[in-house]
Amino acid sequence: MNYNLKELLSLWFGVGFLSLERITWKSPCDLLEKVAGYEGVHPVRNVSDLRLRVGAYRRCYTFIHPSMPREPVVILHVALTDGIASNIQVIVPHPTLSNQSDFKLTQHSEEDTSTFNSAVFYSITSTQPGLKGIDLGNYLIKSVVKQLQSEFPHLTQFSSLSPIPGFRDWLFTEINQQMGGTKQEPLLNDNQMQRLSAVLQCQAEKKIILAKLKKLLQDGNWCKNTDVTSGIKDILMYLCARYLYLEKHRNYALNPVANFHLRNGASLWRINWLANSTARGLSESCGLMVNYRYYLDKTLTNSQQYNAEHIIDVSPQVTDLLN
C-alpha cells in the first residue's frame, strides 16, 4: 500500500473514530448476515449456528466507523469458558464431530458467571481488504478485553484458540525437499524416524518413510485410526512446535497468525492435538490448533521484545515438545 495512503487511512480509521459494538441475536438482520458472511475462520453453517455464536456464553464484537454505520470493519468472536479451551468443537460444535450435550445452547438466556473464568478469542476477521496493513485487530482485542473485564471482573485468563494455516503445506514442502535431496538438515532425528517407521509399518530408507507419512496425512481418514494417531502424535506436535517457534520470515514468525498475536504481545502458550478434526482443520494443520495467551501484565513487554528484538515469549509446554 502506498505509504501516504496508508497513513491517511490509519488516521481515518483510528481508534478514536471507531465504536465498539456487541452483536447479539437482537442486532439488525443485515448486520447479522454480514457477520455470518464475513466469517472466514470457522464458516457459519446455518441460522442455528449463527445464533449460538452470538448467544449465551459467547460474545461477538465489531468496530463500526461512522461513515459506514452498518458495515463491520473487523469482527472478533469470543467464548466464555471454564479454563482455556483446547478444542474448537467445544466452542463451535460440528454436527458430525461434537456431543451436543456438552454445550450451553443459546436457548438459555441467563449466564451463570460461576461457570467460566476465561475468555477465548476463537475467530478474528478483517472485512475490508483495502485496510490491510492497518492494525485494527490488535486494537479490537484490547478494547474487548477492557469491555469483558468491566462486565466480568472475575475473568482471569485471556487467550486465543487459533488455527495454524500453512503448517501442513510447510511440512509437505519439507518432506519434498528431503525426498529430492535439496535440504541437508534432517527433518526428524534417527529416534523419531525409527518410531515413525514402526507406526507406518515401513522398514525402508528415510525418504520412503517420509513419503508414506505425506501420503497418510493427505488422507483425511488417518485421524480416525487410534493406533496411528497415538503413534504419530509426538512427531507432529514436535514438527508444529518447530514450525511456530523456530521457522522465521525476516526474523519474525513464519506463520501469519502467530506473527499477528506475537506482535500484539501474546505468548506462544500451548499446541493442541486434534483440536480441529474437520476437513478444513486437517488440510490446514493436520488438525492441530494453538493457544496464544494474553498475560495482561506482560503484553507490552512481549510486544516490544518481539517487534524490536524478534524474541518470542514461549511457554515450557511448547519448548518441551522440541526436546
Side-chain angles (χ1 to χ4, degrees), residues 101-121:
S101 64
D102 290 341
F103 309 107
K104 304 176 178 74
L105 299 179
T106 55
Q107 286 85 347
H108 304 290
S109 58
E110 296 295 327
E111 294 173 333
D112 181 357
T113 58
S114 67
T115 61
F116 60 85
N117 59 13
S118 305
V120 177
F121 316 124

Side-chain angles (χ1 to χ4, degrees), residues 196-262:
L196 186 59
S197 174
V199 173
L200 300 178
Q201 299 179 351
C202 177
Q203 301 296 326
E205 61 176 318
K206 293 180 180 180
K207 294 180 181 180
I208 296 176
I209 296 172
L210 290 174
K212 192 164 184 179
L213 173 63
K214 178 181 176 181
K215 184 176 180 180
L216 173 73
L217 296 177
Q218 287 173 323
D219 180 358
N221 293 317
W222 67 268
C223 65
K224 299 176 183 177
N225 187 323
T226 55
D227 291 335
V228 169
T229 56
S230 61
I232 66 173
K233 176 181 178 180
D234 288 348
I235 291 172
L236 284 182
M237 292 284 277
Y238 157 79
L239 289 168
C240 189
R242 171 177 162 176
Y243 171 67
L244 291 175
Y245 185 51
L246 299 179
E247 295 296 320
K248 303 295 177 61
H249 174 66
R250 296 178 179 175
N251 294 320
Y252 295 106
L254 175 64
N255 181 265
V257 179
N259 189 48
F260 168 77
H261 287 289
L262 295 172

Side-chain angles (χ1 to χ4, degrees), residues 285-298:
S285 59
C286 303
L288 278 67
M289 298 188 76
V290 58
N291 299 115
Y292 299 102
R293 187 162 175 181
Y294 285 79
Y295 293 100
L296 303 185
D297 59 339
K298 293 173 58 178

Side-chain angles (χ1 to χ4, degrees), residues 137-195:
N138 180 22
Y139 296 136
L140 180 57
I141 289 176
K142 291 178 179 177
S143 299
V144 167
V145 167
K146 291 180 181 179
Q147 178 67 30
L148 291 173
Q149 285 182 311
S150 175
E151 185 177 2
F152 305 113
H154 72 287
L155 284 181
T156 58
Q157 301 181 115
F158 298 88
S159 175
S160 79
L161 178 59
S162 300
I164 314 173
F167 169 58
R168 198 183 77 160
D169 288 345
W170 168 84
L171 177 56
F172 285 0
T173 299
E174 291 288 315
I175 290 175
N176 290 340
Q177 290 176 342
Q178 297 280 319
M179 293 168 58
T182 59
K183 194 163 188 177
Q184 299 302 315
E185 181 186 358
L187 185 62
L188 299 170
N189 62 35
D190 290 341
N191 182 48
Q192 291 169 323
M193 288 300 301
Q194 290 175 6
R195 287 158 51 200

Side-chain angles (χ1 to χ4, degrees), residues 86-100:
S86 60
N87 192 302
I88 193 60
Q89 273 84 240
V90 176
I91 296 174
V92 182
H94 192 282
T96 61
L97 300 174
S98 305
N99 180 357
Q100 295 294 327

